[in-house]
Amino acid sequence: MVDDTIARRRHPAANWLKSKRMVMAMVTIEEVRELARSLPRSEEAVVRDRVKFRVRRIVYISFSKDETTMGFSFPKGERAALIESAPEKFRMPAPASQRFNWVEARLGSLDVSEMEEIVVEAWRMVVPKSVAADHLRGTRFDHDPPACALPAPAPPSPSDLRKTACVFNGFRNIDASWLRLLDNTQPTLDLCREDHRTALLRWLNSWGCRIRYPRAGEPAPFDTGVAAWWRDHGTELPVAHLTALSDQDISLLARAYSELAALPVSSGLRARSLGPTAAAKALYAIRPHSVMPWDAAIAQELHGARDAAAFGNHLRLGRSWAQGLQRTMQVNEDDIPEAIGRPSVSLAKVLDEYLYVKITMGRAG
């Protein structure tokens, strides 16, 4: 049996684990509805006869048709501990939903306090931290620990970027695979299309991601997984440039990144997921003006982690740097790459290249 104190340290919503000694009245959907409607940006929807609560397009609470089971957002990595601690209350979601941050509860087994914590913590996962902090300040849910981000590095100057551009322009055919991807997916990358998914896979492998191509007749987990991920996230991914990303945009990108990184790309004895580096590169390919990608060395050096929260911090760092460069150089964001000698890529990629030279190549040397 997993110690519930461990689960509490991992996720605040686990404070109510193992409350078997309390016998309370059965929670109803009306009580959930009253709470969910009170949360900022939350809205109710009925989809195929099922009541759901969501923030924009992100569902954080969903009821079964008979309203006896409540699915809710919950960290996938903590799910096993939660279910093992209270199997009479919690269970795995349907197989199709197990790749998401999601778990299910038997509504009749919860007391009101437990339900309130579930709903609030699920909502907290899908709104910007600032929104949650403002709404929950001074309540019993105001328990976020202070941020422990690593010190932010000094921003690059235009001169730093010009030096980086000289390094990258010295690599043979450095932009060939990128320009080929753009050409093969005109006017924009659309992962509803099988040929575009194939083009993305080839581009990722050209950058060292080493995702196995399936043989004829074999399952193609990359293709099917990316197609399903695109159906869930394609229409909600922000199109704003890096300097104009909002905190909500960054939250959406971080959530999409997390689920993309977890997608299986091979099965059998050597099963593996897409992973953090390939997920960041894929998001950059999809939104090249919005997403500053990373690799393992960059993520560890700057953020000490490669989860969704770290990726969100990475995009905030990129936004801050891009805005500073725009002010310093007094040109539009789109004009900066040409001004520093890298006209084939976006500013987001220019900043990634700077970090690659400074951190990844620096470690190799």
Side-chain angles (χ1 to χ4, degrees):
M1 184 69 70
V2 177
D3 187 339
D4 61 321
T5 60
I6 295 176
R8 281 196 295 269
R9 285 199 300 272
R10 289 175 172 172
H11 189 262
N15 288 334
W16 30 260
L17 293 177
K18 287 187 175 179
S19 58
K20 299 176 183 177
R21 290 175 292 181
M22 299 181 66
V23 179
M24 306 292 286
M26 175 180 171
V27 171
T28 67
I29 189 173
E30 291 304 323
E31 290 170 306
V32 177
R33 176 178 280 120
E34 182 179 1
L35 174 58
R37 284 177 171 176
S38 72
L39 298 172
R41 306 192 184 185
S42 177
E43 61 180 28
E44 182 175 347
V46 177
V47 181
R48 297 177 183 173
D49 298 324
R50 297 178 62 178
V51 175
K52 299 175 184 283
F53 293 93
R54 63 193 183 189
V55 173
R56 293 182 66 177
R57 296 180 60 86
I58 305 175
V59 174
Y60 69 95
I61 296 288
S62 178
F63 287 91
S64 59
K65 289 183 179 180
D66 62 6
E67 299 179 358
T68 62
T69 301
M70 181 175 71
F72 58 96
S73 294
F74 189 84
K76 185 166 54 177
E78 314 296 336
R79 188 165 56 197
L82 175 67
I83 295 170
E84 188 175 356
S85 295
E88 76 283 3
K89 297 181 181 183
F90 305 106
R91 68 186 187 192
M92 289 288 287
S97 299
Q98 289 178 15
R99 59 193 174 90
F100 302 115
N101 292 311
W102 198 256
V103 74
E104 292 183 352
R106 298 169 180 86
L107 200 61
S109 68
L110 302 176
D111 63 48
V112 173
S113 179
E114 291 172 339
M115 176 276 291
E116 291 174 345
E117 193 123 20
I118 287 172
V119 172
V120 170
E121 294 300 338
W123 167 81
R124 189 198 292 264
M125 288 182 67
V126 301
V127 293
K129 289 184 177 180
S130 58
V131 174
D134 288 345
H135 183 69
L136 301 177
R137 188 171 292 113
T139 72
R140 67 186 178 95
F141 303 107
D142 185 10
H143 48 53
D144 275 346
C148 54
L150 298 177
S157 67
S159 176
D160 293 329
L161 297 184
R162 292 187 183 97
K163 292 176 183 177
T164 297
C166 288
V167 173
F168 263 75
N169 289 335
F171 296 142
R172 184 178 179 183
N173 296 325
I174 186 62
D175 296 321
S177 63
W178 173 245
L179 295 175
R180 185 162 51 249
L181 176 66
L182 294 181
D183 186 56
N184 290 338
T185 58
Q186 289 293 333
T188 186
L189 189 62
D190 179 3
L191 297 181
C192 285
R193 295 179 51 173
E194 183 180 3
D195 61 326
H196 283 206
R197 297 193 297 271
T198 299
L200 175 62
L201 174 58
R202 293 192 180 281
W203 178 76
L204 289 172
N205 279 341
S206 75
W207 280 93
C209 292
R210 293 184 292 182
I211 302 167
R212 182 175 173 273
Y213 297 105
R215 297 185 179 92
E218 284 186 338
F222 174 87
D223 186 75
T224 55
V226 166
W229 175 87
W230 183 254
R231 287 194 295 271
D232 292 335
H233 295 285
T235 59
E236 72 179 18
L237 291 177
V239 296
H241 281 36
L242 187 59
T243 54
L245 285 179
S246 67
D247 287 340
Q248 176 70 8
D249 289 336
I250 290 174
S251 294
L252 288 170
L253 287 167
R255 180 182 177 90
Y257 155 83
S258 179
E259 295 183 6
L260 188 58
L263 287 182
V265 295
S266 64
S267 56
L269 293 177
R270 296 186 177 182
R272 55 166 287 201
S273 61
L274 186 61
T277 297
K281 292 180 183 297
L283 266 186
Y284 161 73
I286 296 164
R287 293 290 186 266
H289 293 284
S290 307
V291 175
M292 182 173 72
W294 64 13
D295 61 20
I298 293 169
Q300 191 62 38
E301 177 82 12
L302 296 184
H303 311 291
R306 293 195 287 170
D307 58 10
F311 191 69
N313 288 338
H314 192 62
L315 295 182
R316 292 184 190 91
L317 178 67
R319 179 180 63 184
S320 174
W321 283 1
Q323 291 172 344
L325 285 164
Q326 193 174 46
R327 289 192 297 268
T328 299
M329 300 178 71
Q330 297 185 336
V331 296
N332 293 328
E333 177 180 339
D334 286 340
D335 296 329
I336 294 176
E338 183 172 6
I340 62 98
R342 291 288 289 135
S344 297
V345 297
S346 67
L347 177 57
K349 185 63 167 61
V350 165
L351 294 175
D352 170 61
E353 292 174 355
Y354 165 76
L355 291 171
Y356 180 84
V357 171
K358 181 179 178 65
I359 296 174
T360 309
M361 291 181 63
R363 287 189 177 185

